[in-house]
Amino acid sequence: MRIAVISDTHGNLRALEAVLSDIADRAPDATVDLGDCLSGPSQPAATADLLMSRGFLTVRGNHDRELVERPSAELGVLDRYADVEIDHRHRAWLATFPTTAVLGDIFLCHGTPARDLTYFVEKVGPHGASLAPMEQVKELAGAVTQPILLCGHTHFP
């Protein structure tokens, strides 16, 4: 199975449109989304409409969770912007995202299998980020048995 993976769109409609065009050219069997779909300084409502029309298997990112679970007054700046721009349909769609998912032999999550705010493949310190030691990655994987694990949240190429 050939799959395309998107993640951390953060409401960037133009970038999403470009990526989806490239994905269409490659014609994968499936496309999955690893979350954090809308919170950003661009076009969260239009981004939501486009993603909703595609029906991709999408796991919940930390920003998706914040938009569904927290009151507006408690949101950070990017989440607050998205909160004002989106409507009840978008929130209902965000609320359908599972925290993790499995597609064949692939495990999908946003941060780690247990927490959407934990970085999986990197170690973040006062001087930036670097790849995490394999022991840390294995520990964070926990009881995941699938041979392939995909995570978002990182923003690490």
Side-chain angles (χ1 to χ4, degrees):
M1 175 187 330
R2 290 176 13 135
I3 67 165
V5 182
I6 61 175
S7 185
D8 295 271
T9 306
H10 289 287
N12 189 336
L13 181 63
R14 286 185 156 198
L16 177 62
E17 289 171 335
V19 168
L20 293 179
S21 175
D22 184 63
I23 288 171
D25 290 345
R26 295 168 191 271
D29 300 310
T31 300
V32 298
D33 187 338
L34 302 177
D36 278 359
C37 300
L38 308 181
S39 292
S42 194
Q43 296 175 279
T47 299
D49 290 336
L50 178 55
L51 287 171
M52 289 168 68
S53 75
R54 297 302 175 101
F56 300 142
L57 171 59
T58 302
V59 294
R60 183 182 72 187
N62 56 295
H63 289 282
D64 305 322
R65 175 178 48 79
E66 294 283 319
L67 286 171
V68 171
E69 295 179 0
R70 294 198 110 168
S72 298
E74 295 179 15
L75 295 174
V77 144
L78 296 179
D79 292 324
R80 214 170 326 142
Y81 178 77
D83 185 61
V84 168
E85 295 291 315
I86 64 174
D87 64 28
H88 68 281
R89 294 174 307 113
H90 303 126
R91 280 184 194 77
W93 170 69
L94 291 170
T96 68
F97 298 170
T99 56
T100 63
V102 174
L103 178 67
D105 60 356
I106 303 168
F107 185 91
L108 311 169
C109 61
H110 181 71
T112 67
R115 295 205 59 228
D116 61 17
L117 278 172
T118 302
Y119 291 103
F120 205 156
V121 296
E122 70 218 60
K123 180 173 61 176
V124 179
H127 303 293
S130 60
L131 286 176
M134 187 51 71
E135 300 78 38
Q136 176 183 325
V137 173
K138 286 180 181 178
E139 183 180 321
L140 290 171
V144 172
T145 58
Q146 288 74 22
I148 301 168
L149 194 151
L150 300 175
C151 67
H153 192 57
T154 174
H155 299 233
F156 211 55

